[in-house]
Amino acid sequence: MNPLSRRAFLKTGLASGVSLALPPAFGQAPAVVTSERMRPQTPSGLQIGDVLADRAVIWSRSDRPARLLVEHSLSSDFRDRVRVRGPLALDTSDYTARVDLTGLRADREVFVRVMFEDLSSGKALSEPLAGRFRTAPARARDISFLWSGDTAGQGFGINREWGGMKIYEAMRKLKPDFFIHCGDNVYADGPIAAEVKLDDGTVWRNLVTEETAKVAESQREFRGRYAYNLLDENVRRFSAEVPQIWQWDDHEVMNNWSDSKDISGDARYAEKNVPLLVARATRAFLEYAPMRYHGIEESERVYRRIPYGPLLEVFVLDMRSYRGANGPNRQERPGPDAAFLGKAQLAWLKQGLKASKALWKVVAADMPLSLQVTDGKDAQGRTWFEAVANGDGPPLGREHEFADLFRTMKRDRVRNVVWLTADVHYTAAHYYDPAKAHFSDFDPFWEFVSGPLNAGSFGPNALDNTFGPTVVYQKAPEKQNTPPTAGLQFFGQVHIDAKTGAMTVTLRDLTGASLYSKALEARRA
């Protein structure tokens, strides 16, 4: 086989999502020709994550014990390839494996191909998977990225008759530098049935698997949720071309989980031990997320910083792992029971924002700041809250952390901070004005909300006026749990202009059409 031209590479390996035949440059073929059945298969494609100026995570999954092999090159014909011998993919990780490619050059298009080598004596090789990405810049250039959340919720899975999870294709066509998934990557607590009858009399037909037919309890079932999403062709094409930054929220485990979660009366669950379910869900998330592991000092840590050149740094939060128990959220003083980010993460965020040299600081949050997200009522009839907000008034409960954060940012003169989130299954733009707030010791800022990607649509939620938010724009369904066929699926796009430094945030719908756009001028230090 001749080396692939750029056009052939892109057309065959990326645009179609079909794996490529192995070029001889990758290595000599086995002496004994093996049947396709004997080759490792790659049922979940490849993913690219946490891209920096000099490194990137390449993730894939085999169907059997095998070793991951990755080649990368600055040319589509791989004439200057670098081969990396990756780790073993074994059943202990659901046959997932990743390589952190290092020594890359800044602001360059990088071509990759991934294979698995069988562990038998024949060392059969899988057909290669092709991908590409662009490293982060070292100097100022235009930057474009997307964000959203909430995939395969409310029983809406892969409907191939409808075109699958086609919002991923709309996002891919915009050719962003990267994508932030703001949580609810899966709905482990939401069974996916073969059919969902819709209010208009039509039927939503899902691709179904054994692992998604019930709530996730076993390790296999939690893993099966992530493997399910990667069966979608739109998701696989997207994942091979668009680097991702993953965070997580509640549905990776179950709805609104915290230390107060009690499923003793939930007949769907045979396993009633919530911390054990959290442990299994955490393992599955870390196995499938294309993210760079933090380190042995806190191996399960999700919050992290992604520097992206002089114009941008992304701060990825974890609003789930360190929170106190859900409850009325009315504590008069800060403390462990009122924690949301937790003491260590809050200190990390304050220090990181102060130290950042990037013009724009984007905070990727898995929950909105001032939208009231409730979690039922207790025996006394008091409303419990799932997110930060707890109703109008001065800072109480979890709001103490954010009052402290906003006050510190103002004191440290941290400029150009924008919050991006999902979670509530509609899209909105919120402006936070200290002149309208109960707590006013902060600089004004914007928060943008967008989602879901492939789930039921909800909202709008009531606003809490503690920090003075105003709804500048929102689009939500008239009826709760509207199906994806209604078109109320949303994502957001951010563009930073290298010449002016301006950031333009655009809220887009299922087709990629613009719904609302806001240009933000950078405040220079």
Side-chain angles (χ1 to χ4, degrees):
M1 176 183 292
N2 294 325
L4 291 168
S5 67
R6 177 181 175 86
R7 178 179 300 175
F9 179 91
L10 296 179
K11 180 178 179 181
T12 307
L14 296 176
S16 69
V18 178
S19 60
L20 304 177
L22 173 63
F26 197 99
Q28 298 298 320
V32 178
V33 177
T34 57
S35 68
E36 191 65 26
R37 182 178 59 83
M38 295 176 64
R39 294 177 180 269
Q41 303 299 304
T42 49
S44 299
L46 68 91
Q47 298 182 99
I48 303 159
D50 286 9
V51 170
L52 305 177
D54 62 347
R55 64 198 308 169
V57 173
I58 308 299
W59 176 100
S60 192
R61 176 171 172 255
S62 176
D63 68 339
R64 68 195 68 183
R67 182 177 295 281
L68 176 63
L69 303 173
V70 178
E71 284 191 341
H72 63 94
S73 173
L74 297 178
S75 5
S76 59
D77 61 8
F78 285 83
R79 61 181 178 273
D80 57 350
R81 68 192 180 277
V82 176
R83 182 184 305 173
V84 178
R85 181 177 183 262
L88 295 170
L90 303 174
D91 58 349
T92 52
S93 65
D94 204 27
Y95 305 111
T96 65
R98 74 198 64 207
V99 164
D100 194 358
L101 298 181
T102 59
L104 304 179
R105 296 169 63 180
D107 202 18
R108 295 296 299 270
E109 186 174 34
V110 179
F111 297 89
V112 294
R113 55 191 180 198
V114 168
M115 296 181 65
F116 283 95
E117 182 182 70
D118 188 81
L119 299 185
S120 65
S121 58
K123 294 187 176 182
L125 297 173
S126 67
E127 292 289 337
L129 296 171
R132 71 166 186 264
F133 61 93
R134 189 178 185 182
T135 52
R139 300 179 180 180
R141 68 155 165 85
D142 288 359
I143 297 170
S144 177
F145 69 93
L146 311 177
W147 90 92
S148 188
D150 317 309
T151 304
Q154 290 69 54
F156 296 108
I158 301 170
N159 181 349
R160 288 176 171 167
E161 293 181 0
W162 189 61
M165 299 185 187
K166 55 190 179 184
I167 195 169
Y168 280 89
E169 179 65 8
M171 294 193 296
R172 184 189 70 85
K173 289 180 177 179
L174 291 176
K175 299 181 180 179
D177 289 303
F178 60 89
F179 168 70
I180 303 172
H181 198 303
C182 290
D184 293 343
N185 295 268
V186 299
Y187 279 70
D189 57 331
I192 296 177
E195 294 185 350
V196 180
K197 294 182 180 179
L198 306 181
D199 291 344
D200 63 2
T202 62
V203 176
W204 174 280
R205 292 184 172 84
N206 286 312
L207 172 68
V208 295
T209 65
E210 179 183 353
E211 291 81 6
T212 59
K214 60 181 288 294
V215 296
E217 299 177 84
S218 69
Q219 193 68 68
R220 178 178 62 84
E221 289 165 347
F222 280 109
R223 288 165 167 169
R225 290 286 170 166
Y226 296 93
Y228 176 84
N229 289 354
L230 290 166
L231 293 174
D232 183 80
E233 294 182 0
N234 302 290
V235 173
R236 287 169 63 109
R237 279 194 299 270
F238 179 85
S239 299
E241 295 185 50
V242 180
Q244 299 182 65
I245 300 171
W246 279 27
Q247 57 191 148
W248 75 333
D249 194 38
D250 58 333
H251 288 287
E252 285 83 1
V253 182
M254 64 180 63
N255 186 50
N256 295 356
W257 69 270
S258 73
D259 285 346
S260 61
K261 189 69 176 181
D262 181 2
I263 57 173
S264 59
D266 192 333
R268 301 177 304 163
Y269 287 90
E271 177 56 70
K272 305 297 185 181
N273 186 338
V274 173
L276 178 58
L277 295 174
V278 172
R280 291 170 178 167
T282 301
R283 171 66 63 87
F285 173 81
L286 293 172
E287 288 170 344
Y288 275 83
M291 63 180 281
R292 184 173 295 107
Y293 293 145
H294 177 70
I296 196 169
E297 65 271 24
E298 191 181 359
S299 60
E300 296 170 2
R301 178 169 142 179
V302 173
Y303 69 89
R304 59 204 189 275
R305 295 167 60 176
I306 308 291
Y308 209 80
L311 298 182
L312 175 66
E313 186 162 9
V314 180
F315 293 81
V316 185
L317 299 188
D318 180 354
M319 293 174 153
R320 184 58 54 179
S321 302
Y322 311 100
R323 65 167 61 196
N326 286 359
N329 194 23
R330 307 290 294 181
Q331 296 90 341
E332 294 186 358
R333 292 182 176 85
D337 60 337
F340 198 63
L341 299 178
K343 185 176 180 179
Q345 184 177 190
L346 179 60
W348 163 86
L349 181 58
K350 290 192 290 187
Q351 190 279 330
L353 289 170
K354 180 181 179 180
S356 178
K357 302 300 183 184
L359 180 62
W360 290 98
K361 276 73 70 174
V362 165
V363 181
D366 42 293
M367 300 200 76
L369 295 172
S370 294
L371 290 177
Q372 297 182 43
V373 184
T374 60
D375 188 23
K377 295 181 181 293
D378 62 16
Q380 290 75 44
R382 298 176 300 176
T383 299
W384 282 21
F385 290 94
E386 156 73 354
V388 181
N390 53 23
D392 295 341
L396 293 171
R398 293 163 173 171
E399 293 171 335
H400 287 301
E401 284 188 346
F402 292 90
D404 180 23
L405 172 65
F406 300 152
R407 181 192 301 114
T408 302
M409 289 166 55
K410 179 180 178 181
R411 181 198 66 198
D412 293 341
R413 298 183 179 181
V414 177
R415 311 299 190 198
N416 308 320
V417 178
V418 175
W419 291 71
L420 304 179
T421 188
D423 182 66
V424 289
H425 295 225
Y426 69 97
T427 191
H430 301 148
Y431 181 67
Y432 286 76
D433 185 352
K436 298 180 180 180
H438 278 267
F439 175 85
S440 59
D441 192 9
F442 67 94
D443 290 327
F445 65 93
W446 284 83
E447 175 190 55
F448 297 93
V449 184
S450 221
L453 288 165
N454 194 87
S457 301
F458 292 84
N461 292 41
L463 270 179
D464 179 325
N465 68 8
T466 301
F467 301 115
T470 297
V471 176
V472 179
Y473 174 84
Q474 69 182 15
K475 187 169 185 178
E478 295 181 0
K479 182 178 181 180
Q480 301 305 292
N481 198 16
T482 301
T485 50
L488 298 175
Q489 310 286 289
F490 307 106
F491 66 94
Q493 180 179 28
V494 176
H495 177 82
I496 302 175
D497 185 274
K499 292 182 179 179
T500 66
M503 172 187 284
T504 301
V505 182
T506 303
L507 304 178
R508 298 185 180 275
D509 69 8
L510 174 67
T511 67
S514 173
L515 302 172
Y516 170 82
S517 189
K518 178 65 181 179
L520 307 177
E521 297 298 324
R523 296 177 63 189
R524 300 287 178 173

